[in-house]
Amino acid sequence: MNDLQPLFPSLPATDTPLFIAGPCSAETEEQTLATARALADAGVGIFRAGLWKPRTRPGGFEGVGAEGLPWLRRVQRETGMRTATEVATREHVAAALDGGVDLLWIGARTTGDPFAMQEIADALAGHDVPVLVKNPASPDLELWIGALQRLYNAGVRRLGAIHRGFSSLDRGDYRNPPLWALPIELRRRMPRLPLLCDPSHIAGRRELVAPLAQQALDLGFDGLVVEAHRAPDQAWSDSEQQLAPAALCDLRRALVVRRTDTTAEPLATLRERIDRTDDELVALIARRMAIAREIGTLKRARGLAVLQPRRYEELLARRAAQAEERGMSAAFMRRLLQVIHEESIRQQMEE
Ligand code: PEP
Ligand code: MN
């Protein structure tokens, strides 16, 4: 994907991060316009509003559909903002293009469905419109990349990705835990692809949106998609995570955009130190594996079981305590050792 084009060529390159905001759903013409005016006043340049809403279960608000397209036209005309909406079928694509929507996005539930993605890609062939692809709900990077490739193969060159968190049994504080390693790996694999973050769907709750937005910028994301509604508590969908225009304004003002200039001297030096430390880390782990294999041989010679649960639990507890003393979480150390231990066991069994 070496020939991707900027999402909006007429936006100055300095106008980053890209900032998209708007309600989860367009509900009424009045709510759409009132929200848009407030956001335009806050300096937002791109207005999002879902017209077709994929709901996990039937019975929720499923969107106003094509009826909302003229409302988005009014937003363009009356506020000067660009508009964005979600498409999930070829009919949505045709209607949105016909209605003059400036940017389309693919929702998480659609990205995970290769048939739907191919249908959308075919419908987009020959049209020059920017398209952003949200990650699939499942933490499956290949599925995300596959969806992007289908669009690219259909000729879409103004292409980007949106990280919106992943479904998980272990959700912690989040609606969709961020699992940052996945978007970071996407960036490594596709360094030219604009990568945006949707902190609203990760958070699920208003209070968590701003810190997640900052975290995304700190990780080098190129932009944000934030849900905002004139009266969030009355929103017909995702009411708990939408921000009032004033809160959105505060979030924007508080965001710190850090330089990603990698030639800055102290950063380059620090990176070198990280690289050297990682070299040592890999060598240490390899040494540990070699010892584990020796133990494996010994256990076999003596007829002992490979897994010794008591010893393993002691090892975890001791290192978890040590980690805490040194400013790391016990849970992190347990997870790390579990992964290392798994590989040791695999190697012992392979001998
Ligand atoms: C949305 O953006 O309102 C939406 C439905 O998001 P997602 O596809 O990420 O669940
Ligand atoms: Mn939403």
Side-chain angles (χ1 to χ4, degrees):
M1 294 198 187
N2 280 334
D3 57 344
L4 290 178
Q5 306 288 320
L7 292 172
F8 291 110
S10 58
L11 277 184
T14 48
D15 197 9
T16 55
L18 204 64
F19 202 91
I20 303 176
C24 180
S25 308
E27 299 161 1
T28 64
E29 183 161 15
E30 194 272 325
Q31 165 259 5
T32 303
L33 268 296
T35 305
R37 286 195 194 100
L39 296 178
D41 287 346
V44 173
I46 307 170
F47 180 75
R48 64 148 283 161
L51 300 178
W52 297 279
K53 298 304 298 178
R55 308 315 298 177
T56 300
R57 292 170 52 182
F61 173 55
E62 297 196 316
V64 296
E67 193 193 327
L69 287 165
W71 311 346
L72 295 186
R73 280 272 199 216
R74 274 191 71 188
V75 169
Q76 290 165 325
R77 232 181 10 246
E78 294 176 27
T79 70
M81 279 193 283
R82 291 179 166 88
T83 55
T85 202
E86 171 173 346
V87 290
T89 66
R90 68 166 78 85
E91 289 80 12
H92 298 165
V93 171
L97 291 176
D98 201 41
V101 177
D102 297 296
L103 178 150
L104 309 180
W105 84 79
I106 313 294
R109 292 158 193 78
T110 309
T111 308
D113 177 351
F115 290 125
M117 280 313 306
Q118 194 53 52
E119 174 184 315
I120 293 169
D122 293 343
L124 281 166
H127 295 279
D128 181 25
V129 63
V131 185
L132 299 175
V133 181
K134 287 193 160 194
N135 62 262
S138 56
D140 183 340
L141 184 59
E142 299 310 318
L143 208 48
W144 196 1
I145 291 178
L148 288 157
Q149 279 170 340
R150 284 179 201 276
L151 296 179
Y152 181 84
N153 291 345
V156 178
R157 289 295 176 273
R158 292 198 279 155
L159 193 58
I162 304 175
H163 167 230
R164 48 77 80 197
F166 299 89
S167 293
S168 166
L169 286 174
D170 180 17
R171 294 206 268 170
D173 287 338
Y174 301 112
R175 175 178 176 192
N176 293 295
L179 311 184
W180 295 106
L182 274 104
I184 289 171
E185 176 61 11
L186 178 70
R187 161 118 304 170
R188 194 187 65 79
R189 302 249 304 257
M190 303 184 149
R192 288 167 198 266
L193 184 77
L195 177 59
L196 283 71
C197 179
D198 169 349
S200 305
H201 288 86
I202 297 176
R205 300 194 270 136
R206 273 187 263 300
E207 319 80 85
L208 299 180
V209 173
L212 281 163
Q214 184 62 55
Q215 226 173 329
L217 293 193
D218 292 348
L219 288 168
F221 279 64
D222 304 299
L224 297 167
V225 185
V226 181
E227 282 190 344
H229 189 287
R230 171 194 56 167
D233 288 330
Q234 273 118 56
W236 298 358
S237 58
D238 289 353
S239 67
E240 275 144 56
Q241 72 195 28
Q242 303 207 52
L243 300 184
L248 186 92
C249 213
D250 291 346
L251 176 148
R252 256 171 83 81
R253 242 195 320 252
L255 280 178
V256 182
V257 183
R258 299 183 215 280
R259 289 189 318 132
T260 48
D261 175 3
T262 50
T263 57
E265 184 47 30
L267 187 64
T269 317
L270 287 171
R271 290 225 166 111
E272 259 172 48
R273 278 169 57 194
I274 287 269
D275 288 346
R276 278 202 302 276
T277 310
D278 285 350
D279 284 344
E280 287 170 29
L281 203 57
V282 173
L284 272 174
I285 295 173
R287 206 160 88 205
R288 193 186 189 283
M289 291 299 160
I291 301 174
R293 281 196 301 273
E294 271 187 55
I295 293 182
T297 314
L298 211 67
K299 279 181 187 161
R300 224 181 346 270
R302 303 216 176 136
L304 295 171
V306 168
L307 183 67
Q308 308 270 318
R310 178 119 54 81
R311 147 112 188 122
Y312 178 43
E313 188 40 50
E314 279 166 16
L315 177 156
L316 286 182
R318 181 140 46 98
R319 302 306 171 196
Q322 253 178 346
E324 277 196 317
E325 280 164 24
R326 307 191 65 162
M328 292 173 274
S329 87
F332 158 69
M333 189 50 66
R334 281 181 167 269
R335 271 209 314 275
L336 180 63
L337 286 172
Q338 269 160 14
V339 174
I340 294 177
H341 186 253
E342 236 171 69
E343 174 68 2
S344 297
I345 296 280
R346 193 186 66 77
Q347 297 212 5
Q348 291 189 349
M349 311 249 284
E350 236 179 39
E351 283 284 297

